[in-house]
Amino acid sequence: QKEVEQNSGPLSVPEGAIASLNCTYSDRVSQSFFWYRQYSGKSPELIMSIYSNGDKEDGRFTAQLNKASQYVSLLIRDSQPSDSATYLCAVRPMNTGFQKLVFGTGTRLLVSP
Amino acid sequence: DVKVTQSSRYLVKRTGEKVFLECVQDMDHENMFWYRQDPGLGLRLIYFSYDVKMKEKGDIPEGYSVSREKKERFSLILESASTNQTSMYLCASRARGNNQPQHFGDGTRLSIL
């Protein structure tokens, strides 16, 4: 089982819809959770972080964390074509001494006009 | 804003050459990281450092070494470049503390001919 799993996609949504991106992780005692956006040919850019169970909202983005289910998700409301990118989920697990982030391989999102 | 600067965006070298990739951060971060990113394989950690002169192997350290003589600078060295080291190389830094996010540089696309 991979430490951090994401569906590779592509996830296709029409402009204005809600995009829902999901991530599961294997280390139950993981702490911090992050979502990065990566445009083709560019480096990852931090968009959200979440540390406790529940929802965290920032503009059109909402991160959701459920530690019991070992599940973290990212919702993008009113999706725009400029949101088309690969979204990386990252987790800081205890089995690395909380020193390292473990990344999923990313979900490619396509928002069509 | 955190600024992580990688010395080159694109680099072309020949097999057998010794290659240096430089990374500088301006936020006095204790932790610095080197990743490579390849299609389908995601981000893979090569080495990281949690303090000056300290280094830890990541998941794929073979063929690489690192140097951290000053807090702001973390260098990745390809001792004898090979074609299978053609990749996108990403440097990142973060402050000490479990909930601190990583911030990435723009990346260096390295081609070994």
Side-chain angles (χ1 to χ4, degrees):
Chain A
Q1 181 188 7
K2 290 183 181 178
E3 288 192 86
V4 179
E5 294 208 56
Q6 296 180 257
N7 188 316
S8 60
L11 172 66
S12 295
V13 300
E15 185 175 356
I18 296 174
S20 177
L21 304 160
N22 304 313
C23 172
T24 58
Y25 58 94
S26 60
D27 187 332
R28 182 172 292 278
V29 193
S30 295
Q31 290 194 338
S32 326
F33 306 85
F34 304 92
W35 283 98
Y36 287 82
R37 177 177 62 200
Q38 187 174 25
Y39 292 114
S40 181
K42 303 293 186 182
S43 64
E45 171 193 11
L46 178 71
I47 53 172
M48 289 288 288
S49 59
I50 188 166
Y51 313 118
S52 53
N53 279 328
D55 295 359
K56 179 181 177 182
E57 188 174 316
D58 184 0
R60 294 186 298 114
F61 299 100
T62 299
Q64 299 175 317
L65 176 60
N66 184 326
K67 289 189 176 182
S69 300
Q70 295 171 235
Y71 178 95
V72 58
S73 64
L74 179 70
L75 301 178
I76 306 175
R77 288 181 299 282
D78 188 23
S79 294
Q80 301 297 309
S82 59
D83 294 326
S84 297
T86 296
Y87 289 80
L88 304 175
C89 172
V91 174
R92 183 162 290 131
M94 187 182 77
N95 64 10
T96 69
F98 301 118
Q99 290 286 332
K100 299 184 289 186
L101 278 184
V102 178
F103 287 84
T105 52
T107 298
R108 188 170 166 223
L109 174 66
L110 296 175
V111 181
S112 53
Chain B
D1 276 358
V2 176
K3 185 69 175 174
V4 181
T5 303
Q6 294 185 231
S7 53
S8 306
R9 284 287 284 128
Y10 300 95
L11 205 54
V12 180
K13 296 290 183 181
R14 297 203 174 274
T15 55
E17 280 193 69
K18 192 169 186 177
V19 180
F20 293 85
L21 302 182
E22 306 287 345
C23 176
V24 176
Q25 48 93 6
D26 66 355
M27 288 301 291
D28 203 36
H29 285 170
E30 289 81 8
N31 299 288
M32 296 187 75
F33 305 83
W34 274 107
Y35 295 86
R36 64 178 283 178
Q37 187 175 33
D38 301 287
L41 296 177
L43 280 162
R44 292 183 291 168
L45 182 65
I46 304 171
Y47 267 97
F48 70 102
S49 168
Y50 51 87
D51 206 346
V52 176
K53 297 191 185 295
M54 306 302 288
K55 61 184 179 183
E56 292 277 348
K57 292 180 179 179
D59 301 316
I60 52 162
E62 296 78 18
Y64 303 94
S65 62
V66 290
S67 172
R68 190 150 181 220
E69 296 297 317
K70 293 185 177 181
K71 192 175 186 180
E72 67 270 19
R73 185 179 298 270
F74 192 35
S75 303
L76 179 69
I77 304 153
L78 285 66
E79 297 291 344
S80 177
S82 64
T83 54
N84 63 11
Q85 292 177 310
T86 292
S87 187
M88 169 71 98
Y89 288 87
L90 290 158
C91 176
S93 75
R94 74 173 178 90
R96 190 168 289 160
N98 290 337
N99 291 339
Q100 297 298 317
Q102 276 178 206
H103 300 273
F104 286 87
D106 288 339
T108 296
R109 187 163 292 282
L110 176 64
S111 296
I112 307 295
L113 305 179

